[in-house]
Amino acid sequence: RVLGIGRGPLSASSFVSLTFFLFPVSVCVGSPQENLIGTLLAIFGNLLVSVSLCVQKYSHVSLAGNKDPRAYYRTKTWWVGLLLTVLGEVAIFVSYAFAPLSLVAPLGAVSVIASSILGFVFLREKWKPKEFVRRYIVSFIGCALTAGGTYLFVTFGPNSHEKLSAENIVKHVIGWPVLLYLLLEIIAFCLLLYFYKQRNATYLVVIVLLVSLLGSVTAITVKAVSGMAVLSVQGNLQLTYPIFYVMLVCMVATVVFQASFLSQASSLYDSSLITSVNYILSTAFAIIAGAVFYLEFNHESVLHICMFLLGCVICFLGVFLVTQNKRKTKAFEPYVTMDMMQGIPTIHDKGRAVQPDYNGSFSYGTLVNSESVIPAALPAVPEQVSAFPGGTPVARSAAFKQD
């Protein structure tokens, strides 16, 4: 009766009115122009990040190819890449203040497409004809699916968003849907952490789920901090409210823990697999967080929501195809065999014996110029009684070399 709904069927406008009656938030909706600005900033930022990573990789490759003894941080190319990284991340950060969270989060797929194209063109990552057909055709299909999915979720994504002041953020935080969502996240995170630490469940899905749960909180806090910072720059000062610093601390803490879990995953699994799974799960949880915390889909029709989700699924499939067809580097796995001299192990790489260098670095073989390094003296082998006539095989070999 308060909303004038009556006993008839609940219309869409009545449902929206009921939603804001239950969750009263003073909403100041951004214009479509701001939505476009946020989308373009996110795309531009992801492109800059891809270019920066390519430039930094080019710096490392150039140093290795030219046998330049300088450290990578002493080259101008590496610093240019770092500057582009900072600019790209700043652009992505600001985009959260102008566009909905559910729209900005999936745009990380732009970075995947750009990295694939730049790796092939700029870094000249070439393949043999059979490898090209087997891998790059699939990667091309993945890029096409990613581009098509991106077009769909940008076209049918949320068209409006809330300008986040400190009062609005506090009202969102104390709403029961957000409290219930955060409670479920905390319970799921604790259970996963228990199985990961106590039960030694080092499955990739478990680690990436931990990262994604933290990532949803990061996405919420990044949008809040970005929105309040932009409002402060525009003249409506928000930095005096405690909620700004609470969100800032939560953002930094969740980012640090995400980096820690991703580092542990990198030591166990291939980076391309981690990239695809992490993108899919993190984006899904970010969309859910935007829908629950910021009510971004309240004004959208069912058709638009379904098309948006279809675009996200197509984009997920494209990212999976692109990342799974990258060239994988074979890890060097040294092991020590029993045919070793006393104190000097023989390191093998797939059956080929390689003598370790004594220059203090993790490098093997004769590719490293160690002329300036004084070779270590072989330990003296004391004479001892042996069951073998003439001493042990190793001792006989050493005596033969001395003779």
Side-chain angles (χ1 to χ4, degrees):
R1 289 198 299 270
V2 173
L3 298 173
I5 296 174
R7 295 185 179 180
L10 189 64
S11 62
S13 59
S14 300
F15 177 76
V16 173
S17 301
L18 179 62
T19 302
F20 287 105
F21 175 74
L22 295 176
F23 319 117
V25 178
S26 58
V27 177
C28 181
V29 178
S31 62
Q33 289 78 13
E34 290 184 351
N35 197 15
L36 178 62
I37 290 174
T39 304
L40 293 178
L41 278 174
I43 294 174
F44 178 70
N46 282 290
L47 287 175
L48 276 183
V49 170
S50 300
V51 173
S52 67
L53 293 177
C54 188
V55 170
Q56 288 183 324
K57 183 176 180 180
Y58 178 78
S59 174
H60 290 287
V61 171
S62 298
L63 288 175
N66 297 329
K67 297 182 180 180
D68 196 330
R70 292 182 300 170
Y72 63 90
Y73 53 83
R74 295 184 179 274
T75 61
K76 296 180 180 178
T77 310
W78 187 86
W79 283 103
V80 170
L82 181 62
L83 178 61
L84 291 176
T85 301
V86 173
L87 292 177
E89 294 295 343
V90 169
I92 296 173
F93 176 78
V94 175
S95 68
Y96 281 95
F98 292 96
L101 172 61
S102 304
L103 185 60
V104 175
L107 286 173
V110 175
S111 179
V112 177
I113 300 176
S115 298
S116 299
I117 296 174
L118 290 173
F120 179 72
V121 176
F122 184 69
L123 294 177
R124 298 179 181 179
E125 295 178 353
K126 296 184 179 181
W127 301 78
K128 296 179 181 179
K130 291 183 179 179
E131 293 178 337
F132 182 87
V133 173
R134 185 174 66 253
R135 296 186 180 274
Y136 268 101
I137 295 299
V138 177
S139 295
F140 177 78
I141 296 174
C143 288
L145 289 175
T146 306
T150 303
Y151 173 78
L152 282 178
F153 72 68
V154 168
T155 304
F156 295 97
N159 293 320
S160 59
H161 73 288
E162 177 186 358
K163 286 188 176 180
L164 296 174
S165 61
E167 293 87 351
N168 290 342
I169 294 173
V170 172
K171 291 177 181 178
H172 279 300
V173 171
I174 63 177
W176 70 264
V178 174
L179 294 178
L180 179 60
Y181 173 76
L182 292 178
L183 177 62
L184 293 176
E185 271 211 346
I186 292 172
I187 294 174
F189 183 83
C190 291
L191 287 175
L192 289 171
L193 190 62
Y194 170 77
F195 283 106
Y196 176 61
K197 293 293 186 180
Q198 300 298 326
R199 300 293 183 177
N200 199 25
T202 57
Y203 302 106
L204 177 61
V205 175
V206 174
I207 302 176
V208 177
L209 276 175
L210 289 169
V211 175
S212 302
L213 290 173
L214 290 172
S216 65
V217 179
T218 303
I220 292 172
T221 54
V222 165
K223 183 170 178 61
V225 172
S226 177
M228 287 188 284
V230 170
L231 284 179
S232 299
V233 172
Q234 292 175 349
N236 187 5
L237 187 62
Q238 304 290 316
L239 304 183
T240 57
Y241 294 91
I243 190 64
F244 174 82
Y245 299 98
V246 171
M247 289 291 182
L248 182 62
V249 171
C250 291
M251 180 185 72
V252 174
T254 52
V255 167
V256 171
F257 282 109
Q258 282 185 82
S260 175
F261 283 119
L262 285 175
S263 175
Q264 296 172 33
S266 300
S267 63
L268 299 173
Y269 298 96
D270 184 71
S271 60
S272 60
L273 182 61
I274 297 173
T275 300
S276 60
V277 177
N278 182 50
Y279 170 77
I280 293 171
L281 293 179
S282 297
T283 303
F285 278 99
I287 293 172
I288 296 172
V292 174
F293 195 94
Y294 296 112
L295 308 175
E296 293 178 343
F297 291 95
N298 279 1
H299 300 283
E300 304 300 323
S301 64
V302 177
L303 177 61
H304 276 71
I305 294 176
C306 291
M307 294 300 293
F308 172 82
L309 294 178
L310 177 62
C312 290
V313 171
I314 294 174
C315 193
F316 292 163
L317 178 60
V319 169
F320 180 80
L321 291 177
V322 171
T323 54
Q324 292 307 300
N325 281 277
K326 288 184 178 180
R327 176 176 291 181
K328 298 179 176 61
T329 57
K330 296 181 180 179
F332 177 73
E333 299 179 353
Y335 61 92
V336 180
T337 60
M338 297 303 296
D339 54 339
M340 53 180 290
M341 298 182 66
Q342 294 183 4
I344 306 178
T346 303
I347 308 299
H348 285 252
D349 180 15
K350 294 186 177 180
R352 293 171 296 178
V354 183
Q355 179 68 32
D357 295 332
Y358 284 91
N359 54 6
S361 62
F362 192 80
S363 58
Y364 300 93
T366 58
L367 296 179
V368 179
N369 184 10
S370 57
E371 294 177 355
S372 60
V373 180
I374 301 175
L378 295 178
V381 181
E383 295 182 358
Q384 56 185 349
V385 180
S386 174
F388 296 94
T392 63
V394 175
R396 288 201 307 269
S397 176
F400 176 76
K401 291 181 180 178
Q402 290 177 358
D403 293 337

PDB file of all heavy atoms in Angstrom, residues 88 149 203 257 361:
ATOM      1  N   GLY A  88      48.701   2.626 -17.324  1.00  0.00           N
ATOM      2  CA  GLY A  88      47.599   1.718 -17.608  1.00  0.00           C
ATOM      3  C   GLY A  88      46.804   1.374 -16.360  1.00  0.00           C
ATOM      4  O   GLY A  88      45.566   1.366 -16.376  1.00  0.00           O
ATOM      5  N   GLY A 149      32.624 -11.738 -27.617  1.00  0.00           N
ATOM      6  CA  GLY A 149      32.071 -11.703 -26.261  1.00  0.00           C
ATOM      7  C   GLY A 149      32.191 -10.335 -25.627  1.00  0.00           C
ATOM      8  O   GLY A 149      31.267  -9.876 -24.932  1.00  0.00           O
ATOM      9  N   TYR A 203      45.204 -28.043  -5.064  1.00  0.00           N
ATOM     10  CA  TYR A 203      44.621 -28.048  -6.397  1.00  0.00           C
ATOM     11  C   TYR A 203      44.561 -26.609  -6.923  1.00  0.00           C
ATOM     12  O   TYR A 203      44.369 -25.655  -6.153  1.00  0.00           O
ATOM     13  CB  TYR A 203      43.234 -28.664  -6.375  1.00  0.00           C
ATOM     14  CG  TYR A 203      43.206 -30.076  -5.837  1.00  0.00           C
ATOM     15  CD1 TYR A 203      42.694 -30.347  -4.572  1.00  0.00           C
ATOM     16  CD2 TYR A 203      43.708 -31.131  -6.585  1.00  0.00           C
ATOM     17  CE1 TYR A 203      42.667 -31.641  -4.068  1.00  0.00           C
ATOM     18  CE2 TYR A 203      43.688 -32.431  -6.086  1.00  0.00           C
ATOM     19  CZ  TYR A 203      43.176 -32.673  -4.832  1.00  0.00           C
ATOM     20  OH  TYR A 203      43.162 -33.951  -4.338  1.00  0.00           O
ATOM     21  N   PHE A 257      47.473 -10.245  -0.401  1.00  0.00           N
ATOM     22  CA  PHE A 257      47.209 -11.671  -0.215  1.00  0.00           C
ATOM     23  C   PHE A 257      46.946 -12.365  -1.553  1.00  0.00           C
ATOM     24  O   PHE A 257      47.312 -13.530  -1.739  1.00  0.00           O
ATOM     25  CB  PHE A 257      46.031 -11.868   0.736  1.00  0.00           C
ATOM     26  CG  PHE A 257      46.390 -11.689   2.184  1.00  0.00           C
ATOM     27  CD1 PHE A 257      45.956 -10.581   2.888  1.00  0.00           C
ATOM     28  CD2 PHE A 257      47.175 -12.626   2.834  1.00  0.00           C
ATOM     29  CE1 PHE A 257      46.298 -10.409   4.222  1.00  0.00           C
ATOM     30  CE2 PHE A 257      47.517 -12.469   4.167  1.00  0.00           C
ATOM     31  CZ  PHE A 257      47.084 -11.358   4.871  1.00  0.00           C
ATOM     32  N   SER A 361      76.002 -18.713  -9.339  1.00  0.00           N
ATOM     33  CA  SER A 361      74.704 -18.494  -9.967  1.00  0.00           C
ATOM     34  C   SER A 361      74.099 -19.823 -10.376  1.00  0.00           C
ATOM     35  O   SER A 361      74.781 -20.822 -10.493  1.00  0.00           O
ATOM     36  CB  SER A 361      74.847 -17.600 -11.197  1.00  0.00           C
ATOM     37  OG  SER A 361      75.656 -18.231 -12.152  1.00  0.00           O
TER      38      SER A 361
END
